[in-house]
C-alpha cells in the first residue's frame, strides 16, 4: 500500500496492510479510532482501496449524524450494489426480511423479528464469502443507526471459518458504537490514529492548500491544531495571502463551530439556507436541495456534488456545525421544508416532529405510523424511539392515545432487549387511569418481563391482575390464562395450571374467538392434562395443530407444533419427536429467533441421549449454548446450561457437568422455576451416580423426590430422574426408601403404557433383589425389564439393565449368560459414548471370567445382529431392534458371515449354535 494515499501515516498504513494481507480471520475487526478530523476517514478509504485492489468484495457505508436514527439506512447503503439475483439465493423468510428492511418490498407481516434481518445478513455474507474475501466497512461508526449496528453485530459474532473482516472508523468515547461494544475484545484490533508531525503537515498543506509555508509558521500551526490535519488545513486556508506570515496572528477558531462559521458566514443567504437543508437530510442530493444555491459553498470546498447529484460535506464536522450554528427557528423551518420533500415515511415523520415546537395530533399520528413501519422492518429499537417521540407530540388531552403509545413503546423496548426502559414506561402507564384492555396488556407485558428477570411468583401475581383487567376481552383473557398456566407449571402446581388452561379454551372458543388463540389453548390444555395423568388427547392435539398460526407472535411454550414434539418424547415416540422438533428449530433459526433455541436444545438433547445418538446431542448442546450466551437471558441460559450438563454427564466429563448444572440450578432457583430445576438436578444426580458417588447423587435428586406429591405431575414424563434416584438409594442400602419409588414408577408406567418407565421400575426391583441376595427374583425382574426395552429405542437404558442382569447372573454363577449380558452392555455403552459406564461393564466382565477373544469370535453387536437376522427379521427390523442403521446391520452381518465361515443367512442359525461363546469385549 502506497504511503502517498495518506500523508504521514506510514505506520498506520502498515497495520492496515497487515490486517488485510494476512488472511482476514472470520469476524475480525480493524477499528480506526481517533479524534474528529484526525484522519480516520483517509485511512479507512485507503484500506478499502487496498482491499479492492486485492480482489476483495467491499460492502461499505458512510453514515452521517442525520441518519443515526433512521432504521437500516446504513445497511441500505452497504448493500446498495447487491442485486435481487443475489438475494434470491437466501431462504425465503430471510430474503423477504432483508428486502423489507431495505425498503425494496412491502412487509407481509405486522412485524419482523429483528434477529431475522441479522440472520439474513449472516447468510448473505456467508454466501458472498464463498467466492472471495468480504470486507464490511463502516466510516463514522458512531453515527451508524441502531438496527444496522445490531444486524451487523449479530452476523459478525456468528461468522466462523468464512473470510470476512470488518474495517470501521469511530471516535473513541462517542456514544456507541454498539457495533464494537458487542463484539469480543480479542476479535477487535484497535488502531489509534494520532496527530501528524510537523513534516507531515508541511507535505499535507503544500499538497492541499497549494502554497508552501515557512517552518516557523508550520510549527505554530502544528501547536495550535494539536497535529490534527483537519484543523491544520483549515487554519492554513484562512491565513492571509499578503501579510508577513511569520508575524501575523494565526486565525485559529476555538472550535469547529467557529471554524464552520468562518467559512459559512461570508456565503450568500441562499447558500446558507441550502447548506442547512443539506445538513438535516439523511441523504442529500440535488433533487432535494437547489444545486445552484449550493454553488458558493462548493466553491469554498464545504461540500462536494458527485456526478449522480449526491451532496457530501467535505467533512462530517461541517454538517454538524452548520446545524449547530442555525437558530432554533431556522432549524424548525428547515425540517418543515424537507418534510415535504422526502419520500421515506420515517424520515418525513421525524422532520415533522423536529419542525413542530409543540404537541400536534397529526404529527403524532405520522410518528406512530412510522414506528409501525420500523417495527414491520424488524427495527424495534427505532420503533420504540419513534413511539416515544409520538408520545411527546400527543396532546395532553388525548390521554387514551398517550397510554396506548406508551405501552407500544414499552413493548418495543422489551423486544429490542431493553427491559429497564420498558419497565419505566409501564410504571408511568400504571400510574395513570387507563382503559381495561390497555391496562391488561400492560400488566401482561410486565409479568413477562418479571418472569425473565425476577421470579415466576412475582410474574404470576402480576398476570393475575392482568386477567382481572381483561375480563371483557375473551381472546386477551385466554392468552393471559395460558401465561398463568405456564407460570403455575413452572412453580409446580400442575392442577392449578390445568384449571387455567381449560379456562383459556373456554374463553378462546367463545363466538368471534381468534382461531390462533384457540389452537394454542387446546395444545396447552392437552399438554398440562397429559402431565397431570389424564393421558394424551390426540383429537384435541390434532385440532390445535390444524388451527395453528405459525407466524402469530406468542411464546414458544404455547405453540401446538412444539407441544406436539414434547408429547412425542414423553410418549416414547423418539424418532418422530426429533424430526418434529428439529424441523421446527430449523424454521425458527432461519427466522432468526435464537431466543427459542434453548427450549429446543434441552428436549432434543434428552431425546438424542435416550436414542443413543450422543454426537448429535453434543452438537445441539454446544451450538445452542454459544448462541444463548450471546442473548444474555437468565431463563434461556439456564436451559442451555442444562442441556450441556446432560451431555457432559453422559460422556463422563464430570467437572464441566457439575459446573454447568450448578449454574443452571442457580438461575432456575432464582427465578423460582421449580419444575425447571428438574433438568440440572437430573444432570447432577446422573453425574454423581456415574462417578460412583451415590450419596452425592441422592443429595442432588432428593429435592425432586420430596416435592413429587405437591406438584401434580402424574405422567412418568415428569419423573425422568427417578431411575437414577432409585439406583442411588439401592447403592446406599436404603431399600425401604427405594421400594415405594419403584412401585410408583411401575404403576405409572403400566397405567400410561410407558415402556421405559416400566423397564426402569423392573430394573429397580432387580437391583434391590440383587442387593438382598435374592438372585433368582432379581434375574426374573431384569429379564422382564429387557422385554420392555424391546418396545422402545433406548440403547443406553437397555445397557444399564443388561449391566444389572450381568451382575446378578455373575453372582448366581451363571458365567456364560453373565458374560453375554455384560458383553452386550459394554458394546452399547461404547456405542452410546458412555465411558464411565463402559468401564463398569468391562470390570464386571473381567470378574465374570471373560478371556481374550479368539480371532474368529464375534463382537457383542455382531452376535446380537446375527441372532436377530437368524430369527427371520429383515435388515430394517434388525436395525430397529439393535439400534443401528440398515448399513450398520449389513456391515455387522458381513463380518459375522466371514468369522462364522458362511456366505448367507441360510446357515446362520447352525453356525451360531456351533460358534464359541467367547466374545470380544
Amino acid at each position: 500500500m502506497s504511503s502517498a494515499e495518506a500523508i504521514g501515516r506510514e505506520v498506520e498504513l502498515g497495520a492496515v496492510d497487515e490486517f488485510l494481507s494476512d488472511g482476514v480471520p472470520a469476524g475480525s475487526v480493524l477499528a480506526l479510532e481517533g479524534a474528529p478530523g484526525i484522519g480516520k476517514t483517509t485511512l479507512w478509504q485507503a484500506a478499502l482501496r487496498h482491499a479492492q485492489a486485492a480482489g476483495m468484495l467491499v460492502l461499505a457505508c458512510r453514515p452521517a449524524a442525520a441518519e443515526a436514527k433512521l432504521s437500516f439506512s446504513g445497511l441500505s447503503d452497504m448493500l446498495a450494489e447487491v442485486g435481487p439475483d443475489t438475494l434470491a439465493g437466501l431462504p425465503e423468510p430471510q430474503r423477504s426480511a432483508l428486502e423489507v428492511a431495505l425498503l425494496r418490498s412491502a412487509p407481509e407481516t405486522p412485524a419482523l423479528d429483528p434477529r431475522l434481518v441479522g440472520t439474513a445478513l449472516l447468510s448473505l455474507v456467508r454466501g458472498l464469502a464463498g467466492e472471495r474475501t468480504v470486507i464490511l466497512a463502516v466510516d463514522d461508526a458512531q453515527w451508524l443507526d441502531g438496527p444496522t449496528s445490531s444486524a451487523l453485530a449479530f452476523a459478525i459474532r456468528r461468522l466462523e471459518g468464512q473470510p470476512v473482516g470488518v474495517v470501521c472508523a469511530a471516535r473513541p468515547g462517542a456514544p456507541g458504537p454498539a457495533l464494537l461494544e458487542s463484539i469480543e475484545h480479542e476479535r477487535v484490533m484497535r488502531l489509534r490514529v494520532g496527530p501528524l508531525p510537523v513534516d507531515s503537515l508541511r507535505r499535507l498543506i503544500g499538497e492541499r492548500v497549494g502554497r508552501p509555508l515557512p517552518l516557523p509558521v508550520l510549527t505554530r500551526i502544528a501547536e495550535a491544531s494539536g497535529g490534527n490535519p483537519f484543523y491544520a488545513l483549515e487554519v492554513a486556508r484562512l491565513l492571509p495571502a499578503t501579510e508577513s506570515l511569520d508575524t501575523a496572528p494565526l486565525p485559529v477558531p476555538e472550535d469547529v463551530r467557529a471554524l464552520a462559521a468562518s467559512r459559512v458566514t461570508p456565503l450568500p443567504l441562499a447558500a446558507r439556507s441550502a447548506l442547512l437543508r443539506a445538513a438535516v437530510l439523511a441523504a442529500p442530493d440535488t433533487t432535494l436541495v437547489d444545486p445552484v444555491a449550493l454553488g458558493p459553498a462548493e466553491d469554498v470546498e464545504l461540500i462536494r456534488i458527485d456526478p449522480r447529484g449526491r451532496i457530501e460535506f467535505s467533512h462530517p464536522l461541517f454538517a454538524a456545525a452548520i446545524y449547530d450554528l442555525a437558530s432554533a427557528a431556522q432549524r424548525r423551518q428547515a425540517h418543515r421544508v424537507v418534510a415535504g420533500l422526502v419520500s421515506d415515511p420515517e424520515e418525513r415523520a421525524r422532520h415533522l416532529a423536529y419542525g413542530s415546537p409543540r404537541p400536534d395530533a397529526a404529527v403524532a399520528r405520522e410518528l406512530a405510523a412510522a414506528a409501525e413501519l420500523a417495527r414491520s422492518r424488524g427495527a424495534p429499537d427505532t420503533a420504540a424511539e419513534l413511539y416515544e417521540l409520538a408520545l411527546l407530540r400527543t396532546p395532553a388531552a388525548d390521554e387514551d392515545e398517550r397510554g396506548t403509545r406508551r405501552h407500544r413503546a414499552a413493548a418495543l423496548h422489551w423486544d429490542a432487549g431493553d427491559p429497564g426502559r420498558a419497565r419505566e414506561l409501564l410504571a408511568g402507564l400504571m400510574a395513570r387511569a387507563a382503559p381495561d384492555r390497555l391496562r391488561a396488556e400492560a400488566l401482561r407485558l410486565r409479568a413477562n418481563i418479571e418472569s425473565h428477570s425476577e421470579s415466576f411468583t412475582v410474574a404470576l401475581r402480576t398476570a393475575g391482575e392482568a386477567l382481572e383487567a381483561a375480563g371483557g376481552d375473551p381472546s386477551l383473557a385466554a392468552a393471559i390464562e395460558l401465561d398463568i398456566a405456564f407460570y403455575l407449571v413452572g412453580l409446580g402446581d400442575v392442577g392449578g395450571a390445568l384449571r387455567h388452561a381449560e379456562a383459556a379454551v373456554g374463553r378462546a372458543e367463545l363466538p368471534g374467538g381468534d382461531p390462533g388463540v384457540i389452537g394454542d389453548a387446546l395444545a396447552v390444555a392437552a399438554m398440562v392434562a397429559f402431565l397431570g395423568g389424564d393421558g394424551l388427547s390426540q383429537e384435541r392435539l390434532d385440532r390445535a395443530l390444524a388451527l395453528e398460526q405459525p407466524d402469530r407472535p406468542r411464546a414458544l411454550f404455547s405453540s401446538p407444533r412444539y407441544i406436539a414434539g414434547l408429547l412425542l418424547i414423553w410418549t416414547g415416540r423418539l424418532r418422530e419427536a426429533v424430526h418434529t422438533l428439529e424441523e421446527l428449530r430449523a424454521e425458527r433459526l432461519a427466522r432468526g429467533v435464537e431466543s427459542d433455541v434453548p427450549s429446543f436444545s434441552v428436549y432434543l438433547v434428552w431425546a438424542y441421549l435416550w436414542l443413543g445418538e450422543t454426537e448429535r446431542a453434543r452438537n445441539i448442546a454446544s451450538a445452542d449454548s454459544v448462541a444463548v450466551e450471546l442473548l444474555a437471558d437468565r431463563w434461556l441460559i439456564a436451559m442451555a446450561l442444562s442441556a450441556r450438563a446432560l451431555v457432559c454427564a453422559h460422556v463422563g466429563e464430570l467437572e464441566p457437568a457439575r459446573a454447568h448444572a450448578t449454574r443452571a440450578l442457580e438461575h432456575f432457583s432464582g427465578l423460582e422455576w421449580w419444575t425447571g430445576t428438574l433438568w440440572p438436578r437430573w444432570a447432577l444426580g446422573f453425574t454423581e451416580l456415574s462417578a460412583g458417588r451415590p450419596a452425592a447423587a441422592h443429595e442432588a435428586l432428593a429435592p425432586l423426590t420430596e416435592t413429587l406429591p405437591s406438584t401434580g405431575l402424574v405422567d412418568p414424563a415428569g419423573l425422568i430422574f427417578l431411575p437414577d434416584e432409585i439406583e442411588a438409594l439401592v447403592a446406599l442400602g436404603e431399600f425401604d426408601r427405594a421400594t415405594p419409588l419403584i412401585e410408583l414408577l411401575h404403576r405409572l408406567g403400566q397405567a400410561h403404557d410407558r415402556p421405559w418407565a416400566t423397564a426402569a421400575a423392573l430394573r429397580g426391583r432387580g437391583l434391590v433383589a440383587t442387593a438382598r441376595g435374592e438372585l433368582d427374583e432379581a434375574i426374573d425382574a431384569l429379564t422382564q425389564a429387557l422385554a420392555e426395552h424391546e418396545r422402545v429405542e433406548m440403547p443406553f437404558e437397555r445397557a444399564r439393565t443388561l449391566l444389572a442382569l450381568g451382575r446378578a447372573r455373575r453372582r448366581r454363577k451363571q458365567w456364560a449368560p453373565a458374560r453375554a449380558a455384560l458383553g452386550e452392555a459394554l458394546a452399547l455403552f461404547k456405542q452410546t459414548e458412555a465411558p464411565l459406564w463402559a468401564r463398569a461393564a468391562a470390570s464386571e466382565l473381567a470378574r465374570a471370567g471373560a478371556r481374550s477373544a479368539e480371532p474368529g469370535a464375534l463382537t457383542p453387536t455382531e452376535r446380537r445382529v446375527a441372532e436377530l437376522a437368524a430369527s427371520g427379521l429383515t435388515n430394517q427390523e434388525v436395525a430397529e431392534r439393535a439400534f443401528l442403521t440398515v448399513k450398520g446391520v449389513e456391515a455387522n452381518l458381513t463380518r459375522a458371515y466371514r468369522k462364522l465361515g458362511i456366505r448367507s443367512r441360510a446357515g446362520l442359525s447352525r453356525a451360531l449354535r456351533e460358534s464359541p461363546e467367547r466374545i470380544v469385549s
Side-chain angles (χ1 to χ4, degrees):
M1 185 183 295
S2 169
S3 61
E5 295 173 327
I7 294 171
R9 297 299 186 189
E10 288 75 14
V11 172
E12 293 89 341
L13 289 170
V16 170
D17 184 56
E18 181 181 356
F19 177 81
L20 293 173
S21 302
D22 194 23
V24 178
S28 57
V29 180
L30 174 62
L32 306 170
E33 298 182 332
I38 203 68
K40 302 183 298 297
T41 295
T42 301
L43 279 171
W44 181 81
Q45 292 171 329
L48 269 54
R49 287 194 295 271
H50 172 99
Q52 289 168 332
M56 302 177 184
L57 174 63
V58 175
L59 302 176
C61 66
R62 297 190 63 188
E67 298 176 78
K69 294 184 177 181
L70 295 180
S71 50
F72 295 117
S73 60
L75 193 62
S76 296
D77 290 345
M78 184 172 280
L79 302 183
E81 303 303 320
V82 176
D85 290 345
T86 302
L87 295 184
L90 297 175
E92 173 53 31
Q94 296 180 21
R95 179 197 59 75
S96 176
L98 206 49
E99 289 181 343
V100 169
L102 301 177
L103 289 178
R104 297 185 187 180
S105 65
E108 297 177 358
T109 58
L112 286 176
D113 188 299
R115 288 167 295 241
L116 181 52
V117 180
T119 301
L121 178 62
L122 175 61
S123 298
L124 175 67
V125 172
R126 279 175 173 165
L128 294 172
E131 301 175 3
R132 52 177 168 160
T133 299
V134 175
I135 298 297
L136 305 174
V138 183
D139 192 17
D140 278 319
Q142 71 276 0
W143 300 128
L144 191 63
D145 63 276
T148 295
S149 185
S150 297
L152 281 172
F154 181 99
I156 293 164
R157 289 179 298 179
R158 290 159 179 79
L159 286 167
E160 294 181 3
Q162 293 85 14
V164 181
V166 181
V167 178
C168 69
R171 300 177 193 174
L179 176 62
L180 293 179
E181 293 172 352
S182 59
I183 297 171
E184 298 91 335
H185 292 300
E186 61 270 17
R187 296 172 67 181
V188 179
M189 173 183 169
R190 296 183 183 274
L191 181 59
R192 186 60 182 259
V193 183
L196 285 177
V198 173
D199 184 59
S200 296
L201 288 176
R202 177 186 61 78
R203 292 163 52 202
L204 178 68
I205 291 171
E207 181 178 302
R208 304 286 174 82
V209 179
R211 59 171 173 157
L213 297 177
L215 182 58
V217 176
L218 286 167
T219 302
R220 292 167 63 201
I221 290 175
E223 291 175 353
S225 65
N228 185 302
F230 173 75
Y231 288 107
L233 280 170
E234 292 306 314
V235 170
R237 286 190 177 103
L238 292 172
L239 284 171
T242 56
E243 297 181 26
S244 172
L245 296 180
D246 291 340
T247 58
L250 291 179
V252 182
E254 293 183 3
D255 57 24
V256 71
R257 184 177 186 274
L259 191 153
S262 67
R263 302 278 295 278
V264 173
T265 302
L267 296 176
L269 178 61
R272 297 201 300 272
S273 178
L275 277 175
L276 180 57
R277 290 185 191 178
V280 303
L281 282 164
D285 61 40
T286 52
T287 66
L288 302 172
V289 185
D290 182 3
V292 175
L294 285 173
E298 190 175 18
D299 292 341
V300 296
E301 299 182 7
L302 275 171
I303 60 158
R304 292 185 292 268
I305 302 177
D306 71 14
R308 288 182 286 183
R310 294 182 302 189
I311 301 165
E312 186 177 81
F313 284 87
S314 56
H315 196 283
L317 290 172
F318 281 137
I322 287 166
Y323 188 81
D324 191 44
L325 281 168
S327 67
Q330 289 171 328
R331 294 176 199 164
R332 288 196 296 271
Q333 175 63 19
H335 283 297
R336 285 195 294 270
V337 169
V338 300
L341 301 174
V342 296
S343 58
D344 184 305
E346 186 181 324
E347 187 175 3
R348 169 183 161 79
R350 286 185 182 277
H351 286 305
L352 287 173
Y354 301 148
S356 174
R358 59 185 63 86
D360 185 310
V363 171
R365 282 193 296 273
E366 289 221 29
L367 285 163
E372 287 301 320
L373 176 61
R375 172 175 171 261
S376 71
R377 295 172 66 195
D381 46 354
T382 299
E385 191 263 339
L386 283 166
Y387 260 118
E388 290 208 52
L389 202 53
L391 182 61
L392 291 174
R393 293 294 184 271
T394 305
D398 197 350
E399 191 57 44
D400 286 355
E401 199 65 72
R402 289 176 62 82
T404 298
R405 287 166 183 167
R406 192 182 298 273
H407 173 258
R408 294 296 296 129
L412 288 160
H413 277 301
W414 169 241
D415 290 343
D418 188 357
R421 182 57 184 156
R423 294 186 71 142
E424 289 175 9
L425 288 163
L426 290 174
L429 176 57
M430 293 294 103
R432 296 168 171 80
D436 286 347
R437 179 182 176 86
L438 179 58
R439 183 173 182 80
E441 289 176 334
L443 285 165
R444 185 187 182 203
L445 174 59
R446 193 174 82 184
N448 191 10
I449 296 171
E450 289 166 346
S451 73
H452 283 260
S453 58
E454 294 188 45
S455 75
F456 276 32
T457 298
V458 174
L460 178 63
R461 185 167 56 246
T462 303
E465 294 179 43
L467 183 60
E468 186 177 344
D473 188 320
S475 289
L476 176 58
I480 297 170
E481 295 271 21
L482 295 182
D483 293 346
I484 292 174
F486 175 70
Y487 300 144
L488 286 170
V489 169
L491 289 166
D493 183 0
V494 174
L498 182 56
R499 288 191 295 275
H500 282 279
E502 292 293 356
V505 174
R507 291 178 187 269
E509 289 189 318
L510 289 173
D514 184 332
V517 177
I518 296 172
D520 290 358
L522 288 168
V524 171
M527 177 179 67
V528 179
F530 177 92
L531 292 173
D534 291 342
L536 174 58
S537 172
Q538 191 64 52
E539 180 182 355
R540 179 173 262 193
L541 183 60
D542 289 343
R543 186 173 168 224
L545 290 167
L547 289 170
E548 181 169 20
Q549 297 172 349
D551 296 328
R552 195 175 70 81
R554 44 96 141 84
L556 181 66
F557 70 79
S558 62
S559 161
R561 281 178 68 196
Y562 179 71
I563 289 172
L566 304 191
L567 289 166
L568 286 168
I569 293 177
W570 297 341
T571 53
R573 296 157 64 184
L574 300 176
R575 289 291 172 194
E576 295 174 72
V578 296
H579 174 76
T580 298
L581 291 178
E582 286 275 26
E583 185 177 66
L584 184 56
R585 175 178 176 270
E587 289 176 13
R588 305 296 279 185
L589 285 174
R591 291 180 174 274
V593 191
E594 284 191 333
S595 57
D596 288 345
V597 159
S599 299
F600 288 102
S601 63
V602 72
Y603 285 107
L604 282 170
V605 162
W606 171 0
Y608 278 130
L609 289 177
W610 266 3
L611 285 167
E613 298 185 11
T614 307
E615 186 62 26
R616 287 194 175 184
R618 180 190 289 112
N619 291 340
I620 288 282
S622 177
D624 290 356
S625 65
V626 171
V628 171
E629 289 290 349
L630 295 173
L631 295 173
D633 185 303
R634 292 178 67 198
W635 174 351
L636 306 179
I637 290 173
M639 298 184 77
L641 285 169
S642 297
R644 291 200 73 178
L646 286 168
V647 173
C648 289
H650 186 88
V651 301
E653 297 172 1
L654 302 180
E655 288 309 314
R658 291 179 181 119
H660 295 324
T662 300
R663 280 186 61 204
L665 189 56
E666 289 171 355
H667 285 305
F668 279 127
S669 298
L671 292 169
E672 297 182 19
W673 187 350
W674 301 122
T675 52
T677 64
L678 181 150
W679 296 307
R681 285 198 175 280
W682 180 27
L684 272 176
F686 181 75
T687 298
E688 302 302 350
L689 189 65
S690 302
R693 301 176 67 227
H698 171 62
E699 182 182 355
L701 297 170
L704 297 176
T705 306
E706 292 164 1
T707 59
L708 267 179
S710 64
T711 62
L713 287 170
V714 177
D715 192 273
L719 310 177
I720 50 177
F721 63 91
L722 212 51
D724 297 335
E725 169 70 333
I726 290 168
E727 190 160 341
L729 288 170
V730 173
L732 293 170
E734 299 276 3
F735 306 143
D736 291 342
R737 297 175 68 180
T739 299
L741 300 179
I742 292 169
E743 297 313 311
L744 170 67
L745 191 59
H746 187 268
R747 184 175 69 255
L748 294 178
Q750 290 282 290
H752 298 286
D753 191 26
R754 305 285 183 265
W756 73 266
T758 303
L762 289 167
R763 182 172 69 226
R765 285 181 184 173
L767 292 171
V768 171
T770 300
R772 285 176 167 161
E774 300 166 353
L775 298 178
D776 289 336
E777 290 83 348
I779 291 169
D780 181 60
L782 292 165
T783 302
Q784 291 181 54
L786 284 179
E788 291 294 329
H789 282 304
E790 292 289 342
R791 299 176 56 209
V792 63
E793 185 178 1
M794 293 174 61
F796 177 75
E797 288 300 305
R798 175 184 175 84
R800 288 178 67 173
T801 300
L802 285 165
L803 175 59
L805 178 60
R807 282 173 173 156
R809 288 193 181 280
R810 178 185 62 75
R811 290 184 59 183
R812 192 73 177 79
K813 302 188 186 307
Q814 297 176 352
W815 304 113
R819 288 193 293 271
L822 292 168
E824 187 179 349
L826 176 59
L828 288 174
F829 285 140
K830 287 181 176 180
Q831 175 188 315
T832 58
E833 300 181 54
L836 297 182
W837 291 82
R839 190 180 307 160
S843 175
E844 286 291 334
L845 194 56
R847 295 176 69 185
R851 292 170 288 174
S852 298
E854 295 180 0
L858 301 180
T859 67
T861 301
E862 289 166 354
R863 177 168 286 278
R864 176 162 173 74
V865 167
E867 290 171 346
L868 291 170
S871 71
L873 298 177
T874 66
N875 283 3
Q876 180 63 50
E877 291 168 333
V878 172
E880 293 171 357
R881 298 288 184 87
F883 314 116
L884 296 170
T885 63
V886 173
K887 287 187 176 180
V889 169
E890 294 169 350
N892 276 282
L893 281 176
T894 299
R895 292 193 294 270
Y897 293 163
R898 185 178 65 251
K899 291 179 180 180
L900 295 171
I902 60 176
R903 294 187 177 182
S904 68
R905 296 186 184 213
L908 197 52
S909 296
R910 179 180 55 79
L912 285 171
R913 287 195 301 271
E914 297 174 355
S915 69
E917 283 293 333
R918 290 185 295 274
I919 57 175
V920 176
S921 62

